[in-house]
């Protein structure tokens, strides 16, 4: 039996809910339009307003958060008159996040799945929140527990397999990730998240040529995506770098990664990370940093997602905007506020920011000290292993430049335990003098 869960407040408007769910699962560019249709057809549905609020929170921008607060207030008023656990759980999960406890919101959605197996949207939202807070273990536990409820006949089974694939990859279960990712694309050829999970596996296992070809062969999977399509192309650029093709990577930057000058933090992070990798390998990236720094300077006060803040900081430092970078770093250092992400800002964001600033100023010992201080809490800044690798690379480079070669070699080997000796690892090991025999 195929279970499709629709909130009671959407009774009579099931198609609008299904279309909205599908758009979110596919990372479609049409999500805003699907939301508008659902809101227009069921304007008193707390679930639709909550879904809108959660999408706003995932955008990671100050003005989006403010709109999410207004949306939640309206949804909370509506839900008080609706006896519906489904509507209530979505409104409450949004409230958890707004109150500074996103993991509590994810856990709430996961508990709901115990009672409502087959609710693909709830699973996707829980996965998205866990990703933001860097909890790959919980992300995988949820996917492993609930994916079996989605038989092949379920219209969203492929997208759930894509979630499972990514969660497995982020917990280093690469073979299982390949199995789930391939199944995702078999069941849903437009599952961009599943394709992206396979790209991650190829990135982490040193199969750059296969990864590049995989993305090239599956353009239809992400053609209709929102800005997520730029992230898939970012992976293609990384494969070019690993294959020793920096000019091709720059070409992908200009034509796909940064073909649109959006201020979506995910797009900015793709661009910043790619430029940082290129610059770290001595490639002249010209004036490409400037427009990113302009955007970053306007986002210093956002304080929504630490992962975003650190990428803004890198753009500011790359263009010599040290005063603006100092303000961002100071905000991270003082941002606890008793919230989950506030603690991440203080415990991981602030030392990473200090380390990046020191590295930019050529104070490599200080950079290494601060970046190593952040390591215990580092994964909590969110993002994937591939995305956080830019900070790992900067840490290793700081160790090499500070002539802390034993530390550099140790860090390279720790990194290799997860992804092997790639081009970066080999080049940095070559800069570390071999120990002199005693």
């Amino acid at each position: 039996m195929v279970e499709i869960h629709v909130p009671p407040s959407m009774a009579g408007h099931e198609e609008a809910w299904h279309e909205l769910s599908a758009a979110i699962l596919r990372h479609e560019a049409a999500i805003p339009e699907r939301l508008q249709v659902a809101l227009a057809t069921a304007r008193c549905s707390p679930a639709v307003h909550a879904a809108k609020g959660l999408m706003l929170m995932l955008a990671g921008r100050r003005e989006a958060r403010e709109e999410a607060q207004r949306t939640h207030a309206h949804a909370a008023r509506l839900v008080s008159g609706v006896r519906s656990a489904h509507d209530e759980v979505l409104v409450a999960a949004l409230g958890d996040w707004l109150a500074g406890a996103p993991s509590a919101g994810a856990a709430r959605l996961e508990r709901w799945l115990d009672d409502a197996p087959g609710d693909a949207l709830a699973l996707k939202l829980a996965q998205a929140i866990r990703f933001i807070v860097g909890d790959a273990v919980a992300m995988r536990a949820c996917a492993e527990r609930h994916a079996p409820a989605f038989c092949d006949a379920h219209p969203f089974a492929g997208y759930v397999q894509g979630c499972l694939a990514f969660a497995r990859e982020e917990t280093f279960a690469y073979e299982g990730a390949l199995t789930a990712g391939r199944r995702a694309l078999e069941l849903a050829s437009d599952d961009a998240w599943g394709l992206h999970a396979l790209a991650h596996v190829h990135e982490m296992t040193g199969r750059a040529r296969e990864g590049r070809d995989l993305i090239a062969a599956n353009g239809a999977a992400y053609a209709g995506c929102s800005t997520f399509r730029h992230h898939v192309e970012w992976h293609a650029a990384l494969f070019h770098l690993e294959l020793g093709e920096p000019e091709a990577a720059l070409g992908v930057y200009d034509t796909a990664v940064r073909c649109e000058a959006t201020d979506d933090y995910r797009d900015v992070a793709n661009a910043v990370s790619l430029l940082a990798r290129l610059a770290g390998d001595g490639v002249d990236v010209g004036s490409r940093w400037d427009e990113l720094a302009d955007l970053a300077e306007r986002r210093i006060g956002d304080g929504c997602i630490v992962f975003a803040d650190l990428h803004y900081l890198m753009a500011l430092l790359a263009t010599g905007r040290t005063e603006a970078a100092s303000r961002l770093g100071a905000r991270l250092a003082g941002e606890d506020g008793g919230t989950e992400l506030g603690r991440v800002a203080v415990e991981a964001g602030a030392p990473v920011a200090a380390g990046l600033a020191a590295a930019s100023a050529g104070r490599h010992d200080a950079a290494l000290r601060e970046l190593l201080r952040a390591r215990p809490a580092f994964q909590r800044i969110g993002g994937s292993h591939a995305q956080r690798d830019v900070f790992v690379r900067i840490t290793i480079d700081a160790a090499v430049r500070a002539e802390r070669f034993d530390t550099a070699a140790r860090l390279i080997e720790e990194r290799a335990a997860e992804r092997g000796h790639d081009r970066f690892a080999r080049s940095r090991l070559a800069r570390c003098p071999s120990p002199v025999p005693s």
Side-chain angles (χ1 to χ4, degrees):
M1 177 180 176
V2 177
E3 293 190 73
I4 307 294
H5 293 275
V6 179
S9 64
M10 290 298 292
H13 308 292
E14 290 85 357
E15 184 178 354
W17 183 257
H18 290 325
E19 291 297 323
L20 173 60
S21 299
I24 292 171
L25 288 159
R26 295 173 185 145
H27 294 259
E28 281 184 8
I31 290 173
E33 289 78 7
R34 298 298 185 195
L35 271 168
Q36 287 305 312
V37 169
L39 288 166
T41 57
R43 59 189 178 85
C44 292
S45 167
V48 174
H49 289 281
K52 175 185 175 182
L54 288 163
M55 290 296 99
L56 288 165
M57 292 298 287
L58 289 168
R61 296 203 297 260
R62 180 182 60 255
E63 66 272 21
R65 179 187 174 86
E66 290 168 354
E67 187 176 352
Q69 288 172 325
R70 293 189 293 271
T71 300
H72 176 258
H74 183 57
R77 288 192 294 272
L78 291 172
V79 84
S80 64
V82 177
R83 292 185 178 179
S84 159
H86 195 167
D87 288 87
E88 288 170 0
V89 76
L90 290 169
V91 175
L94 173 59
D96 289 332
W97 195 345
L98 284 164
S103 291
R108 190 185 298 275
L109 291 164
E110 290 158 359
R111 289 193 298 273
W112 163 251
L113 283 163
D114 289 333
D115 297 324
D119 188 340
L121 181 59
L123 187 147
K124 181 67 171 179
L125 292 170
Q127 295 278 293
I129 296 171
R130 294 294 190 189
F131 179 66
I132 290 287
V133 300
D135 194 346
V137 172
M139 187 167 61
R140 181 176 174 188
C142 172
E144 295 281 5
R145 178 179 177 84
H146 297 292
F150 296 84
C151 64
D152 288 358
H154 195 294
F156 299 143
Y159 309 112
V160 171
Q161 285 295 308
C163 290
L164 178 60
F166 183 69
R168 285 175 173 172
E169 179 277 326
E170 285 297 293
T171 51
F172 310 114
Y174 297 136
E175 289 306 313
L178 286 172
T179 299
R182 288 166 180 158
R183 187 65 180 145
L185 289 177
E186 287 173 7
L187 293 170
S189 60
D190 59 354
D191 182 20
W193 192 255
L195 172 65
H196 145 268
L198 290 173
H200 272 271
V201 175
H202 287 78
E203 155 82 7
M204 297 296 289
T205 56
R207 300 182 228 181
R209 196 171 302 279
E210 289 178 51
R212 184 192 62 186
D213 294 346
L214 173 78
I215 292 173
N218 287 276
Y222 61 95
C225 282
S226 62
T227 56
F228 187 64
R229 69 185 185 277
H230 303 145
H231 181 67
V232 178
E233 293 285 7
W234 176 79
H235 279 282
L238 296 193
F239 292 134
H240 283 301
L241 286 179
E242 180 60 21
L243 292 168
E245 302 165 352
E247 290 304 319
L250 267 179
V252 173
Y253 180 97
D254 292 332
T255 61
V257 172
R258 202 62 188 152
C259 58
E260 301 174 69
T262 76
D263 71 344
D264 188 298
Y265 87 86
R266 292 157 289 200
D267 288 342
V268 173
N270 293 331
V272 166
S273 177
L274 183 51
L275 291 186
R277 291 164 186 257
L278 286 159
D281 283 342
V283 177
D284 181 4
V285 300
S287 60
R288 290 177 178 85
W289 282 112
D290 293 338
E291 60 103 6
L292 300 174
D294 289 342
L295 293 171
E297 197 154 5
R298 294 197 290 270
R299 292 291 169 190
I300 289 173
D302 272 19
C304 295
I305 296 175
V306 175
F307 178 84
D309 287 333
L310 293 174
H311 285 82
Y312 296 146
L313 182 75
M314 291 170 69
L316 295 172
L317 291 170
T319 52
R321 304 186 194 193
T322 54
E323 188 277 331
S326 294
R327 281 191 283 129
L328 201 163
R331 178 174 60 70
L332 286 168
E335 198 163 286
D336 187 322
T339 68
E340 181 179 352
L341 293 181
R343 289 189 292 274
V344 174
V346 172
E347 295 169 14
V352 170
L356 293 173
S360 178
R363 296 184 292 109
H364 304 301
D365 273 310
L368 180 61
R369 182 174 62 252
E370 293 294 337
L371 291 165
L372 290 178
R373 186 163 69 89
R375 276 168 69 82
F378 184 50
Q379 184 160 327
R380 291 167 55 206
I381 69 170
S384 65
H385 295 300
Q387 289 173 308
R388 291 189 302 272
D389 189 49
V390 69
F391 303 112
V392 177
R393 289 170 176 238
I394 292 170
T395 305
I396 290 169
D397 278 339
V400 171
R401 288 169 180 153
E403 298 185 355
R404 299 274 297 279
F405 299 120
D406 287 348
T407 299
R410 174 175 59 81
L411 292 171
I412 291 167
E413 292 307 318
E414 288 175 1
R415 179 177 177 273
E418 298 175 354
R419 59 166 58 239
H421 286 94
D422 58 5
R423 177 180 289 271
F424 172 83
R426 294 192 300 272
S427 69
R428 272 35 175 199
L429 277 174
R431 300 179 191 179
C432 297
S434 301
V436 177
S438 56

